[in-house]
Amino acid sequence: MLVINGGPGMNSNGFEALARELSKHRMAILYDQRGTGKSVLPKLSPETVSMRLMVDDIESLRKSLKIKNWDVLGHSFGGMLASFYATEFPDRIDRMILSSSGGVDLDLLSYVGGRIQSKLNPVQRDSLRYWNAKIEKGDTTYATRLGRGRNLAPAYVFNPKYVPSLAKRLTQGNAELNQLIWDDLREIGFDCAPKLKKYQKPVLIIQGKDDIIKPNTAEIAHRAFRNSEVVLLDDCGHYGWLDAEAEYFAAIGTFLQP
């Protein structure tokens, strides 16, 4: 199973625990998306960073590992990338899991910023503006990025005990890379639904009821993937394997059964 982490612009660090649990069912493969972690690029530009290139990277990895077909799990932005991969190389996927996926189109851009803000209290929103302003003025020190992370992380998890670890994870993002990918998504008019009409492989769409991603985004994907099911988890935010560990992995285990 290929595990595609979220972002965009973040490495695969922090997904090791998820991969270890998934390895009870499949060999789990983690990789750093181009421009992140150990996947170093000489420069970041529209010529070196695009959804097309990122899908080609996935296919190159499959060929390099000599895997004929694999399962794919995409989390958050990784779910968008997985869906795009399914439009280009559908015959290489056996089963797909979309975990808190950003969707099969760009509908989330109409609401996700406001939804994040709505899940923060007034102090967190004010502090987040403060730290974002410092970063915009060029202060990208770890302390500043961690300050931002501590006030952004509460929007992503239902259980506050996970805020400290997630705050550290949020310091890893590459803003330039993130912008390049979103610019490309807009440029190509990202919408996988038309090409997915003929996709028949099993798909599990799973996310928390308190996710920053609205359930409607899952329903749009459900309509696009004809052979799909939706699981919405109670008391769960953007990270199912944290907030609802037992239910999240039980649903995945059932889905992966022959």
Side-chain angles (χ1 to χ4, degrees):
M1 174 178 286
L2 179 70
V3 180
I4 309 177
N5 63 267
M10 301 183 79
N11 59 39
S12 61
N13 294 352
F15 277 68
E16 293 90 345
L18 172 63
R20 280 195 297 271
E21 188 65 29
L22 293 172
S23 70
K24 295 177 181 179
H25 305 281
R26 302 285 192 275
M27 176 193 293
I29 301 165
L30 283 174
Y31 79 108
D32 288 333
Q33 295 163 21
R34 61 172 45 221
T36 73
K38 297 179 181 179
S39 295
V40 180
L41 291 173
K43 68 173 182 176
L44 298 179
S45 72
E47 287 70 41
T48 63
V49 177
S50 70
M51 291 292 285
R52 176 73 252 183
L53 289 170
M54 294 172 81
V55 160
D56 288 343
D57 289 342
I58 293 173
E59 186 60 6
S60 294
L61 177 60
R62 184 193 63 78
K63 290 178 180 178
S64 177
L65 295 174
K66 296 180 172 57
I67 297 172
K68 182 179 180 181
N69 287 55
W70 53 7
D71 296 335
V72 175
L73 182 149
H75 178 75
S76 196
F77 164 73
M80 301 175 75
L81 184 52
S83 297
F84 196 53
Y85 179 65
T87 68
E88 299 296 317
F89 300 98
D91 295 337
R92 297 307 177 189
I93 305 172
D94 284 333
R95 294 173 182 267
M96 184 156 60
I97 300 169
L98 301 178
S99 170
S100 295
S101 171
V104 296
D105 57 24
L106 293 178
D107 180 64
L108 85 161
L109 293 181
S110 67
Y111 70 78
V112 73
R115 192 158 168 93
I116 290 172
Q117 291 291 318
S118 72
K119 293 183 178 299
L120 302 175
N121 64 40
V123 173
Q124 291 164 343
R125 289 196 293 268
D126 186 58
S127 297
L128 183 58
R129 285 192 292 269
Y130 169 80
W131 293 113
N132 280 336
K134 287 178 70 71
I135 291 172
E136 289 171 4
K137 291 178 181 178
D139 182 355
T140 57
T141 61
Y142 180 77
T144 297
R145 288 181 285 120
L146 183 60
R148 173 184 177 272
R150 285 171 174 163
N151 289 281
L152 179 59
Y156 288 81
V157 288
F158 185 85
N159 191 328
K161 77 176 185 179
Y162 298 114
V163 167
S165 59
L166 181 55
K168 292 179 181 179
R169 163 78 176 161
L170 291 172
T171 65
Q172 300 170 1
N174 184 315
E176 181 182 3
L177 185 53
N178 180 283
Q179 189 62 54
L180 283 168
I181 295 171
W182 284 114
D183 286 346
D184 183 61
L185 284 163
R186 293 183 179 93
E187 178 68 23
I188 66 176
F190 179 76
D191 184 359
C192 299
K195 286 189 175 182
L196 292 175
K197 289 181 180 179
K198 296 181 180 180
Y199 188 88
Q200 297 294 331
K201 303 291 184 64
V203 179
L204 172 64
I205 303 166
I206 184 168
Q207 66 185 66
K209 291 182 179 179
D210 290 281
D211 202 338
I212 59 168
I213 304 299
K214 288 184 176 180
N216 185 60
T217 297
E219 287 301 323
I220 292 172
H222 182 41
R223 291 195 293 271
F225 289 101
R226 295 184 179 183
N227 186 12
S228 64
E229 60 179 298
V230 177
V231 174
L232 299 178
L233 303 169
D234 292 322
D235 298 335
C236 180
H238 196 57
Y239 293 88
W241 66 92
L242 297 180
D243 281 329
E245 180 180 9
E247 296 84 355
Y248 181 85
F249 287 118
I252 288 176
T254 299
F255 175 72
L256 293 176
Q257 288 178 358

